Amino acid sequence: MPAHSTKKFSWKPFTLRWPILIIIAAGTLAVIVVLEILSQQSRITGAVAFTGSQSSSAISFAYLYLPTVVALLYSILWSWIDLDTKRLEPWFQLSNPGGAKAEDSLLLHYPYDFLAFAPVNALRRSSIFARSIVTVDVLSSFKTNAELMQLGNQSSSLNTNFLMNAYGISWLGQEMPGFVTRQGTLEPFEVNGAPATDMVNRTWTARTRLYGTSINCEEAEITEHANGYSYSNRKGCTTFPGHVNVNPEWGFRGLYIGYYTDQHSDYSLEGLGCASSVNSHLFLGLWGKSSKVHDHQPTAFFCEPNYWIQNVNATVTVPTMSVSSMAPLGPQVPLPDSKFNSSAFEYIIGTGAQLVSQRADISATTSVIDQTAGLAGLGYNDTVTNVLGFALGLSRLPLAQYAEHHNLVSSLETAHKLLHALAIKDLLTKNISDQYERQGRISGRTHAIKVVRPLAVTVELLLGSVVILTLALLFHASRRKSQLCADPDSLRDIVAMMPRDHNSLNISAGQTQRSAKPQNGLIQGKLSLVRSHTSFQHRPKSDKIIANSSTTLSAVQEDNSQQRHPSPYRTLPFEMSSTVGILFLVFLGAALSVVVALKLIFENGNGLPLPSKRTVVNQLVLNYVPIVFATILEPFWLLLNRILCLLQPYKELSEGHAAASQSLDLKYASLPPQLTVWRALRAGHYLLSSVCAIGLSANLLAVSLNGLMDTDFVSIEQIMPFALEFQSVFRHSPQPRDQLQTAASTYQYVANANITYGVILPPWTTPATYFVPFALTTRSRSGIVEAYKAATRGFGIEPNCQPSTLNHTAFVTGQQEFWYSRERTLAGRSVTCGAFTVSYGGQNNSNAALEVFHQLNPLNSLSTDNGSGSHAGANIASNATNDEFLACNGVLIAGFLRGNLSMSFDNIKTQNSLTSKHPGILKVNELSSTWLACRPKFVTGLYDVTVDPDGHVESYTAIAQSDESTGSFFVNGTSPALLVSAATSILTHGSNTAPYWHNDTFVDTWFAHFVKHLSNSTDLVDPAARVPQFESVRPYVEDIYARLFAIVLSLNRDWLSPADMGSTLPGKMIVSTERVFMSNTMFIITITLLALNIVVATTYWAKRPRKMLPKKPYTIAKIMEMFEGSHLVTDVEDAERWQSEWKFGYGRFVGTDGKLHVGIDRQPFIKPFAS
């Protein structure tokens, strides 16, 4: 090497300098650490972030797109490093002290990315995060928000309302109130502040106290007497013999006998000979068999309850606050008498009345809960007390098994615990003395972002290998010698390095022939890159390639004819051929068609099933495979981009008059193809800039494809038949004279649970319609069954209430009677229909209100004494026919009355005081009233009904209008009129239907109670308010009537005819399942990018450069070959000779050696090829 080149000088690109490579290695290592931390967090806590039911835009971007964006930027950076490493390797080889062989330098060429590596690149770019539903558990602060009220307020506050709740739980499937279990009631607690995480199926777990009870029972000593049995606890309590009979003639009879005596109870230990404060908490449980059996001695137990409190760790479900689990944290501690009035509680459950009587609505003053209907379903048809009825309803054992001691005790204890828990619930108050803050946990299921572990491990391994290779590259690059003084990134830079003596480096003789092969053997020995001290305009110093002294040159014999008239074979790279272009356009069109087709399938099919139940498989199919497509697309565009970057200077030169800035000085080689877009725009090369931009958009396409498909839980419908249970035909309904009032209260109880407590109506029932049931026995393996849907018939009434007026009033001792009469015509004769409504209660000289809800019946003659206001008397006609009953029963009246009461003295019948004395003459002064006459019409229609797995109606839609010919749905002498008459009779007879005057807003009938709750106001029953107008009460009256009618049908399904064996009904099962959907935003971005790809690809092949070069200028040797003999080899070093207005071209020219060449020179020496 010449002496002048021994001065050390080394230019290297910033991508190969040690600060950049160290930063990249450290950053990659940091990514591995962060990824592993997130992976471990995901494994331990189930997620790395919780998104709730709705992901925010920031969170969605963070897990769907940010990893891909980071990976793409990382990929571009490495593409830059890879490009600089490959394109500068020949120059580094020439910079070696001993030089380099031609094949290792001037003839060296590295191929571009191989498409087979696309799956690896896709794996590198695919998201390792997945969004799914996970169970989370977070710490939170809790506080007590209710406690037992003061002892002095408990006896007046506790009423029979909890008995009504017990009925709903025992017989109607009513859910337990919040913080209440059958084992006891928890002291309520709440989050101290709002929870931060949006969850579903949320639970709270915290330390609290459980109020509970248990009973200690001992078998009674039974003594048989001539008149019956006596029962003793051997501790001073022995009942009078023969006073309690639990041996019915047939079947079974049970009793719960409490201690306290009250007018509402038939038996009490206090009244049976056990009156003592020692026995005040005892109760006697009895179960007897029929007196017809041989061994009919009853089962008897004396029990005494004890009440306790216990610290527990409890979990409740939000928002219902239902208790899901409890774990004791200590022993059960006796509850002090100063905390709980057990006497008030035991008085109510034993007698059905309050210890301290207080005015309240009917739901809180009903003494005996009518459980007849439920007990009849168990086969029990005898009298029953409240507690025993609840015990039977909760345990549901065969009746004979209650004769076994442990079964009877267990059932009574179950009922006692439930009643106590509900009573404690009613005694809780928000006025608390100590909030008792403590730590707890919030758990639930929420949408969360978690790491897909297999993909994370794979990416970590790949990144680990990148760190190792980066350090290896750092080590290698730091040791590389470089004689470059600047970046050789343009044709002019390369020309500047050519020796001025054209004979000193003859590398390409004979290479212009079409059949010629690369002649690497033309250069024998080694070449070196040395520093030249000649300054010139383009570079401050010039590097020169020289042949070492040991290098030998050989020449190839040339064809003289070709030297005189060189006419090279011109070609284009294979990648630019029409065949490749057509295949590529077909590929892009197919991709666009597939995306659009999938979108249509997703939209029409409510998504598609998940490919697999495994998360990693779903992640690969839904995210990895689409990214593979984008990763294949990107390197192909980069290849087309790189080829166009290489050919762009020659395309300009082929015109013969290109400026240096448009040709020799173009610097497209030093940047990754994705980043050359701005240089191309500045140079006016718009096709190249478009290709650069579309190649860069392949990265955006990878992002959009990564987020194109996501999963969500949806409801899908599966077609299947359902077995029919009943026909849409009524085969039976009670006759008008049937005594139906025995179980009439059951329907009001059901309505009360629904209206007052929000308990769902019975299966197949809505507030206006009862639907014919079908069997719900099918289950699904493809998901969780949410509902069933089919077309079935519904029955109901249109109440059709109209305003009416009161006909007569009469006043008698002890009672006030309202007479409402109408004349109905039947078979040409007149029938008097009326309502014989007896009202009670009231206070002297007070404004009072009264609510009436009654059915018309045929009456005897009606007469009044004009002027006196006295009533001669009338009643329901005993000899009325069924037709006359039906003619009258078709009308129901409802009245809202206001008046001022007066009487001779105040000793009158009230709800809590039964007196045998008759009050004086009761008068209603200043009477005002609003009356409604409802003439119900039986209606039926076909409906699309959706029910839950238990048969409760979720939604319904009318398919056909109500049928007018309703008679076709009745057989065996039944009719619409008979059915409506029977149902209305059930609703207006029986217990708790006689109205009471009241001078407050508490009501004593179920009808008034329902009006009060449906209106969510006391105005309609407030005696201080004006009598309500017809339009203000009509909606509530019609709602109550239609709702109760539907409930009657639902609890008497046997009125329908059974379906034929094997008959089915077509329907659908609605299943909740996780399915795949396509993001609308990502779909738009994807098809837009694919369409742009098609447009740019079409333009690329239409506007691609024409054939002009014999070989691809991929190596330094091939580039220098084009300047062999060119005047530019000399001009480029002489700043004074170089002129900015020079034009350059590619074609034929006579070189400085006097020979004809094909290559690059300036005007006027160059003659371009004809187009």
Side-chain angles (χ1 to χ4, degrees):
M1 181 178 295
H4 63 260
S5 64
T6 58
K7 182 180 178 181
K8 294 185 178 180
F9 183 87
S10 177
W11 176 90
K12 292 180 182 178
F14 80 96
T15 56
L16 298 180
R17 295 174 186 174
W18 68 266
I20 296 298
L21 294 177
I22 288 179
I23 291 173
I24 291 175
T28 305
L29 189 60
V31 170
I32 296 174
V33 173
V34 170
L35 190 55
E36 183 60 24
I37 292 174
L38 293 177
S39 183
Q40 293 302 319
Q41 179 183 345
S42 178
R43 181 183 63 84
I44 296 172
T45 65
V48 295
F50 303 109
T51 65
S53 57
Q54 297 293 329
S55 298
S56 67
S57 299
I59 292 178
S60 296
F61 176 80
Y63 89 91
L64 281 177
Y65 314 126
L66 183 59
T68 305
V69 169
V70 171
L72 293 176
L73 294 176
Y74 190 75
S75 174
I76 292 175
L77 178 59
W78 267 106
S79 296
W80 203 338
I81 296 174
D82 177 73
L83 174 66
D84 283 345
T85 302
K86 291 178 178 178
R87 74 181 180 88
L88 295 175
E89 180 60 23
W91 305 105
F92 291 153
Q93 290 288 344
L94 290 170
S95 298
N96 288 332
K101 293 182 178 180
E103 60 266 24
D104 296 330
S105 54
L106 300 186
L107 300 175
L108 182 62
H109 167 62
Y110 291 102
Y112 298 108
D113 286 345
F114 183 44
L115 292 182
F117 291 126
V120 177
N121 294 331
L123 183 60
R124 181 187 61 194
R125 296 180 178 184
S126 61
S127 179
I128 62 170
F129 300 104
R131 184 171 183 254
S132 63
I133 296 178
V134 299
T135 300
V136 298
D137 192 18
V138 296
L139 288 174
S140 184
S141 175
F142 291 89
K143 63 182 180 181
T144 300
N145 64 351
E147 64 181 10
L148 279 178
M149 64 178 60
Q150 294 295 319
L151 186 68
N153 299 328
Q154 292 184 12
S155 60
S156 59
S157 299
L158 190 63
N159 54 39
T160 61
N161 185 66
F162 72 90
L163 298 180
M164 197 61 65
N165 267 323
Y167 178 87
I169 294 169
S170 302
W171 298 107
L172 303 180
Q174 178 178 327
E175 298 292 334
M176 300 291 291
F179 295 102
V180 179
T181 74
R182 295 190 180 188
Q183 303 303 315
T185 295
L186 297 171
E187 196 169 66
F189 53 87
E190 64 184 0
V191 175
N192 193 9
T197 306
D198 179 19
M199 303 178 186
V200 295
N201 301 329
R202 192 177 358 154
T203 62
W204 294 348
T205 301
R207 181 188 177 97
T208 188
R209 293 185 292 186
L210 173 68
Y211 294 91
T213 183
S214 57
I215 58 175
N216 297 320
C217 298
E218 295 182 359
E219 189 173 355
E221 184 180 83
I222 303 175
T223 303
E224 188 172 3
H225 305 273
N227 60 343
Y229 296 99
S230 66
Y231 308 94
S232 173
N233 70 344
R234 307 177 188 86
K235 297 178 182 179
C237 177
T238 302
T239 65
F240 298 138
H243 279 236
V244 181
N245 177 22
V246 289
N247 294 117
E249 184 176 0
W250 302 103
F252 301 89
R253 177 181 297 163
L255 287 175
Y256 170 94
I257 302 176
Y259 174 78
Y260 295 101
T261 300
D262 187 87
Q263 60 189 1
H264 298 92
S265 59
D266 296 328
Y267 304 103
S268 69
L269 292 179
E270 186 180 27
L272 289 174
C274 295
S276 171
S277 60
V278 177
N279 301 322
S280 63
H281 294 292
L282 285 178
F283 69 84
L284 174 62
L286 297 170
W287 186 263
K289 308 172 186 176
S290 170
S291 58
K292 301 294 185 180
V293 300
H294 174 69
D295 181 16
H296 57 261
Q297 180 171 305
T299 301
F301 279 87
F302 279 97
C303 301
E304 183 174 8
N306 58 77
Y307 305 96
W308 46 262
I309 190 170
Q310 183 181 29
N311 289 327
V312 297
N313 202 51
T315 300
V316 298
T317 302
V318 181
T320 62
M321 302 305 170
S322 59
V323 182
S324 56
S325 66
M326 293 184 298
L329 298 176
Q332 296 174 356
V333 179
L335 183 64
D337 292 339
S338 61
K339 292 291 186 181
F340 176 60
N341 190 338
S342 59
S343 297
F345 165 68
E346 293 167 9
Y347 192 95
I348 292 177
I349 66 174
T351 67
Q354 281 182 285
L355 181 61
V356 178
S357 179
Q358 298 288 326
R359 280 283 291 158
D361 279 354
I362 184 174
S363 62
T365 57
T366 301
S367 56
V368 178
I369 308 298
D370 185 357
Q371 305 180 61
T372 307
L375 292 170
L378 300 178
Y380 186 92
N381 298 302
D382 212 306
T383 58
V384 69
T385 55
N386 286 335
V387 178
L388 184 66
F390 297 143
L392 299 181
L394 292 169
S395 57
R396 308 288 177 102
L397 296 175
L399 297 180
Q401 293 187 14
Y402 292 106
E404 299 178 14
H405 297 170
H406 68 278
N407 286 336
L408 180 61
V409 171
S410 176
S411 299
L412 289 174
E413 184 173 41
T414 299
H416 196 273
K417 287 183 174 181
L418 174 64
L419 292 168
H420 172 261
L422 295 172
I424 292 290
K425 169 70 167 53
D426 286 353
L427 292 175
L428 293 173
T429 176
K430 295 289 186 178
N431 298 322
I432 59 177
S433 57
D434 181 16
Q435 291 188 334
Y436 176 43
E437 295 186 11
R438 66 275 198 186
Q439 286 294 308
R441 306 192 75 85
I442 299 177
S443 301
R445 292 179 63 78
T446 184
H447 288 272
I449 311 303
K450 65 179 184 180
V451 175
V452 182
R453 183 59 178 165
L455 291 180
V457 171
T458 304
V459 172
E460 287 175 13
L461 292 174
L462 290 174
L463 292 177
S465 64
V466 169
V467 172
I468 296 173
L469 293 176
T470 303
L471 294 176
L473 179 60
L474 172 62
F475 176 78
H476 183 67
S478 64
R479 298 170 61 87
R480 298 304 300 271
K481 301 294 183 180
S482 174
Q483 291 295 327
L484 293 171
C485 56
D487 192 352
D489 54 354
S490 68
L491 293 178
R492 187 172 173 183
D493 293 329
I494 295 175
V495 173
M497 297 187 189
M498 291 181 64
R500 177 175 298 185
D501 184 1
H502 63 270
N503 292 319
S504 65
L505 193 62
N506 183 14
I507 61 172
S508 55
Q511 294 301 299
T512 59
Q513 299 299 322
R514 176 178 180 178
S515 60
K517 304 295 182 184
Q519 300 293 326
N520 295 353
L522 292 176
I523 304 177
Q524 306 296 330
K526 293 186 177 182
L527 306 170
S528 295
L529 185 65
V530 299
R531 186 68 38 76
S532 170
H533 294 278
T534 305
S535 297
F536 61 101
Q537 181 183 2
H538 184 57
R539 302 167 65 90
K541 293 185 178 180
S542 177
D543 304 316
K544 293 293 182 182
I545 301 175
I546 65 169
N548 290 0
S549 57
S550 61
T551 302
T552 60
L553 304 178
S554 61
V556 176
Q557 191 68 31
E558 299 173 1
D559 187 336
N560 293 331
S561 63
Q562 293 292 341
Q563 282 285 8
R564 290 190 300 269
H565 304 286
S567 180
Y569 171 74
R570 289 173 286 175
T571 185
L572 277 176
F574 172 74
E575 294 83 356
M576 282 187 164
S577 66
S578 299
T579 302
V580 173
I582 293 173
L583 292 176
F584 187 50
L585 286 172
V586 170
F587 176 71
L588 291 174
L592 180 61
S593 301
V594 168
V595 172
V596 173
L598 284 176
K599 179 63 174 178
L600 294 176
I601 293 173
F602 286 145
E603 294 293 333
N604 297 331
N606 199 15
L608 289 177
L610 286 174
S612 171
K613 294 182 178 180
R614 298 182 60 190
T615 303
V616 63
V617 175
N618 294 331
Q619 193 75 357
L620 288 174
V621 174
L622 302 181
N623 300 105
Y624 175 70
V625 172
I627 291 181
V628 168
F629 168 78
T631 313
I632 291 175
L633 192 63
E634 182 193 19
F636 188 72
W637 272 117
L638 295 184
L639 178 61
L640 296 178
N641 192 349
R642 174 54 57 194
I643 293 174
L644 192 57
C645 285
L646 290 174
L647 296 183
Q648 188 65 45
Y650 301 101
K651 179 177 182 296
E652 298 292 339
L653 290 168
S654 65
E655 303 296 329
H657 52 273
S661 61
Q662 295 290 312
S663 54
L664 299 183
D665 290 342
L666 287 176
K667 296 179 178 291
Y668 291 149
S670 59
L671 286 177
Q674 305 99 312
L675 303 183
T676 57
V677 58
W678 302 115
R679 290 185 179 179
L681 285 173
R682 286 197 302 267
H685 298 149
Y686 299 115
L687 176 60
L688 177 58
S689 62
S690 299
V691 176
C692 293
I694 208 66
L696 190 61
S697 74
N699 298 322
L700 180 58
L701 182 62
V703 175
S704 67
L705 288 174
N706 183 52
L708 183 62
M709 290 180 284
D710 202 359
T711 62
D712 199 2
F713 281 90
V714 294
S715 298
I716 61 172
E717 296 180 348
Q718 299 177 356
I719 298 176
M720 59 180 52
F722 299 110
L724 284 176
E725 296 180 331
F726 300 96
Q727 298 182 50
S728 300
V729 176
F730 287 95
R731 62 172 180 171
H732 169 74
S733 62
Q735 296 299 312
R737 293 177 179 273
D738 289 354
Q739 298 299 313
L740 301 168
Q741 57 265 35
T742 302
S745 298
T746 301
Y747 308 104
Q748 278 86 356
Y749 294 167
V750 173
N752 177 60
N754 174 244
I755 294 173
T756 306
Y757 302 109
V759 178
I760 193 170
L761 286 169
W764 307 100
T765 311
T766 70
T769 310
Y770 173 70
F771 300 100
V772 179
F774 49 85
L776 305 177
T777 57
T778 308
R779 295 294 180 264
S780 174
R781 296 181 179 179
S782 60
I784 301 173
V785 177
E786 288 185 331
Y788 302 90
K789 184 177 182 180
T792 187
R793 186 158 294 278
F795 298 104
I797 58 169
E798 292 178 357
N800 191 27
C801 297
Q802 299 297 324
S804 188
T805 56
L806 177 68
N807 292 74
H808 304 281
T809 62
F811 313 101
V812 297
T813 300
Q815 299 176 341
Q816 180 193 355
E817 301 167 350
F818 282 98
W819 294 90
Y820 178 100
S821 66
R822 282 288 183 272
E823 298 295 324
R824 304 292 300 273
T825 300
L826 178 66
R829 57 189 176 88
S830 178
V831 179
T832 301
C833 301
F836 178 66
T837 304
V838 180
S839 60
Y840 303 99
Q843 296 293 327
N844 192 27
N845 296 322
S846 67
N847 293 323
L850 182 73
E851 297 79 34
V852 178
F853 190 68
H854 209 283
Q855 183 184 37
L856 294 188
N857 288 291
L859 301 178
N860 288 328
S861 60
L862 177 69
S863 63
T864 57
D865 184 2
N866 295 330
S868 66
S870 64
H871 178 252
N875 54 23
I876 297 177
S878 59
N879 60 347
T881 65
N882 280 346
D883 290 339
E884 290 173 335
F885 267 101
L886 292 178
C888 294
N889 289 167
V891 179
L892 180 141
I893 62 167
F896 296 81
L897 292 82
R898 300 287 189 273
N900 183 272
L901 306 183
S902 63
M903 61 199 73
S904 59
F905 56 91
D906 294 334
N907 189 11
I908 61 175
K909 176 184 180 296
T910 66
Q911 60 193 21
N912 297 310
S913 176
L914 294 176
T915 177
S916 59
K917 298 179 181 180
H918 294 289
I921 299 301
L922 175 65
K923 291 185 178 180
V924 181
N925 306 306
E926 302 173 4
L927 177 66
S928 60
S929 61
T930 295
W931 289 89
L932 297 85
C934 303
R935 297 172 176 82
K937 175 186 175 183
F938 181 81
V939 293
T940 180
L942 200 60
Y943 296 83
D944 249 337
V945 181
T946 302
V947 298
D948 66 15
D950 295 321
H952 296 108
V953 179
E954 293 185 345
S955 64
Y956 61 97
T957 305
I959 299 176
Q961 297 295 326
S962 297
D963 297 312
E964 297 296 334
S965 57
T966 55
S968 61
F969 302 102
F970 296 86
V971 296
N972 299 335
T974 60
S975 67
L978 184 59
L979 182 65
V980 172
S981 170
T984 307
S985 179
I986 290 173
L987 302 177
T988 56
H989 290 80
S991 61
N992 300 315
T993 56
Y996 283 74
W997 284 100
H998 55 91
N999 61 355
D1000 51 26
T1001 56
F1002 295 113
V1003 295
D1004 306 284
T1005 62
W1006 287 114
F1007 166 68
H1009 178 70
F1010 297 152
V1011 168
K1012 181 177 175 180
H1013 278 273
L1014 285 174
S1015 65
N1016 196 29
S1017 170
T1018 60
D1019 291 346
L1020 300 182
V1021 298
D1022 188 352
R1026 293 173 59 89
V1027 65
Q1029 298 300 307
F1030 168 76
E1031 291 299 335
S1032 64
V1033 295
R1034 176 182 179 179
Y1036 306 118
V1037 174
E1038 291 188 339
D1039 184 315
I1040 294 167
Y1041 194 7
R1043 190 184 304 246
L1044 287 171
F1045 183 83
I1047 291 173
V1048 169
L1049 295 185
S1050 71
L1051 298 184
N1052 293 278
R1053 299 199 310 175
D1054 57 332
W1055 292 359
L1056 291 169
S1057 298
D1060 296 333
M1061 185 68 68
S1063 57
T1064 60
L1065 178 71
K1068 299 175 181 178
M1069 180 170 60
I1070 302 174
V1071 179
S1072 175
T1073 183
E1074 191 174 12
R1075 293 175 73 86
V1076 181
F1077 291 90
M1078 189 174 287
S1079 166
N1080 290 329
T1081 302
M1082 293 299 105
F1083 170 73
I1084 293 173
I1085 293 175
T1086 299
I1087 62 172
T1088 300
L1089 291 176
L1090 288 175
L1092 289 175
N1093 271 262
I1094 293 175
V1095 171
V1096 174
T1098 302
T1099 306
Y1100 183 90
W1101 266 272
K1103 300 291 186 179
R1104 69 188 188 275
R1106 58 187 176 83
K1107 298 178 180 180
M1108 54 186 174
L1109 299 177
K1111 294 294 180 181
K1112 302 173 186 177
Y1114 290 165
T1115 66
I1116 298 174
K1118 288 186 172 62
I1119 295 173
M1120 289 184 173
E1121 176 185 353
M1122 297 184 190
F1123 291 94
E1124 190 74 18
S1126 173
H1127 296 79
L1128 296 178
V1129 177
T1130 304
D1131 296 339
V1132 76
E1133 294 185 0
D1134 194 336
E1136 294 182 357
R1137 294 179 58 188
W1138 190 275
Q1139 299 180 23
S1140 59
E1141 65 272 12
W1142 279 353
K1143 302 297 182 180
F1144 307 91
Y1146 172 79
R1148 299 183 182 88
F1149 65 91
V1150 177
T1152 56
D1153 57 358
K1155 298 179 181 179
L1156 185 62
H1157 295 269
V1158 174
I1160 300 172
D1161 208 337
R1162 61 179 175 85
Q1163 292 292 355
F1165 306 109
I1166 192 72
K1167 181 180 180 181
F1169 291 112
S1171 301

